[in-house]
Amino acid sequence: MGSSAWQGHQGGTTVSERVRASLREYVHGAAPERRTIADSLVYLVPDKLEDLQGPAFGTVELPIHLDWGPERHYNIDDDASCSALYQLTLQNSGSVEEICRIVNAERLAKLWSTMLLPTRCRGAWEAVFPELPAYTEAKEHPSWTNLSE
């Protein structure tokens, strides 16, 4: 078999040359778009902040489709508990009506800047409600992460 049998269809390009060119393109070319399951999640946002008529105090029990853990009760009066309640609701609820029944506008505004939410979820809410305070990263770990306590 002569060397012409190893030449490609593009004007005498050899297989080795094509492989090298493809590797150069792969290494130096644009990175392929990375898609994850999180990219496909839909985050629902009500039209008006005033629609959020959830309780301002007391205890809320989340439905099983939002929290499938053994303890689904959240204390609205406790910032950490209420924040966890709202984070689960905003990320996982399948209806705006459900969000409006659980989340209270005033409590949400108070907790918003410290809530841990996916970037796309936070962005969707802030696009509709620019009046929500800016996100601030915690400067210290919560006390439960300190081994000395």
Side-chain angles (χ1 to χ4, degrees), residues 23 27 31 76 79 106:
L23 284 172
V27 170
I76 302 292
D79 287 352
E106 289 179 31

Side-chain angles (χ1 to χ4, degrees), residues 13-79:
T13 304
T14 66
V15 172
S16 296
E17 289 168 343
R18 280 300 304 142
V19 168
R20 282 189 204 102
S22 294
L23 284 172
R24 272 193 302 277
E25 183 180 317
Y26 175 78
V27 170
H28 300 293
E33 184 178 342
R34 183 173 171 241
R35 304 282 300 164
T36 65
I37 292 173
D39 295 332
S40 66
L41 296 177
V42 175
Y43 298 109
L44 303 174
V45 183
D47 294 327
K48 298 179 294 202
L49 206 52
E50 300 81 39
D51 291 343
L52 300 173
Q53 296 291 315
F57 54 88
T59 302
V60 169
E61 180 180 6
L62 277 181
I64 194 80
H65 67 275
L66 291 180
D67 184 352
W68 47 90
E71 182 52 54
R72 300 187 336 255
H73 292 85
Y74 294 86
N75 181 355
I76 302 292
D77 303 313
D78 178 71
D79 287 352

